[in-house]
Amino acid sequence: GEPVPLVLLLHGAGERGTDNQAQLGNGAGALLGADEAAARFPCVFVLPQCPKDQRWVEVDWTAERHVMPTQPSVPLGALLQLLDVLVHSGIDAGSAVAKVDVNRIYAVGLSMGGFGVWDLVSRRPQLFAAGVPICGGADEAQARKLRSLPLWVFHGGLDPVVRPQRSRQMVAALRAEGGAPRYTEYAEVGHDSWVKALQEPELLPWLFGQTRVQ
């Protein structure tokens, strides 16, 4: 009967589609798929799927920088609507309705989903208690509004797809605004830094320990 946290996981480009299955593989099992993790950190686990030929954020992933689009992408806009419904109406769990703890909503994303996390928390910083963008990129002009949000940023130092500078630059911008993001860069890792990131033993305790500041 108690409200539970909501964890949102945004997948990468390879899991796009309409089968509502592909996004359950890469990263989902590592984050909360194990029985031990599910028992220790009960939550509502939301795994949306982005359609093919669309992106969580309609920007060039290979660019050195980007400006946050004025409007969210179609998939991200739909996701924001979904989150509003879940927060206000709860989740039908069959025999009961699971209520969301509005002070413990977390966003995690990898690659294309890392861009999505940055975009989501920039648009709705008051909604989230913490964010974990993995090998993504952000608009550094948004740093000021995110300076109080707990963030743990990950990237591979040898990433050939999304430049590690994307994460470094955003972390530097946050710190310049007085923020204190955590940053972990795996020096010898390429694009798939989420493999190591989601195995970090401190990640889930840190994430579920964050509560939104009223």
Side-chain angles (χ1 to χ4, degrees):
E2 293 296 321
V4 293
L6 185 152
V7 177
L8 171 69
L9 177 62
L10 297 185
H11 64 76
E15 291 73 58
R16 288 178 289 186
T18 56
D19 63 355
N20 199 28
Q21 291 292 321
Q23 82 276 24
L24 304 180
N26 202 1
L31 184 63
L32 280 165
D35 291 342
E36 180 182 351
R40 187 178 175 192
F41 302 103
C43 66
V44 173
F45 194 16
V46 180
L47 297 99
Q49 187 176 31
C50 182
K52 288 184 178 179
D53 302 320
Q54 297 188 50
R55 302 182 178 199
W56 296 124
V57 189
E58 294 292 348
V59 296
D60 180 0
W61 303 323
T62 66
E64 294 183 4
R65 285 182 166 85
H66 75 263
V67 174
M68 188 173 79
T70 304
Q71 297 297 325
S73 69
V74 171
L76 206 74
L79 176 55
L80 284 167
Q81 293 180 32
L82 171 64
L83 288 175
D84 287 339
V85 171
L86 296 181
V87 166
H88 290 104
S89 302
I91 295 89
D92 185 352
S95 60
V97 175
K99 296 293 185 182
V100 173
D101 184 342
V102 297
N103 294 315
R104 298 177 70 198
I105 298 175
Y106 310 121
V108 182
L110 54 97
S111 192
M112 180 182 76
F115 281 84
V117 167
W118 283 119
D119 199 83
L120 271 179
V121 298
S122 295
R123 294 183 191 279
R124 299 280 289 277
Q126 75 284 359
L127 178 63
F128 295 95
V132 182
I134 305 170
C135 57
D139 179 357
E140 294 144 57
Q142 307 301 316
R144 185 171 183 81
K145 69 174 71 169
L146 300 177
R147 58 185 174 177
S148 299
L149 182 69
L151 293 160
W152 193 344
V153 184
F154 294 90
H155 219 115
L158 301 179
D159 193 331
V161 180
V162 181
R163 305 163 189 252
Q165 288 87 343
R166 296 305 310 268
S167 288
R168 295 172 192 161
Q169 289 164 182
M170 190 60 184
V171 167
L174 287 163
R175 289 172 176 166
E177 292 289 352
R182 296 182 68 162
Y183 181 51
T184 300
E185 183 173 306
Y186 303 111
E188 301 301 320
V189 172
H191 186 53
D192 62 345
S193 54
W194 59 84
V195 175
K196 291 181 70 70
L198 297 179
Q199 292 176 348
E200 287 285 349
E202 292 183 29
L203 180 59
L204 288 180
W206 174 86
L207 187 66
F208 283 87
Q210 307 304 321
T211 300
R212 182 172 65 106
V213 177
Q214 299 286 352

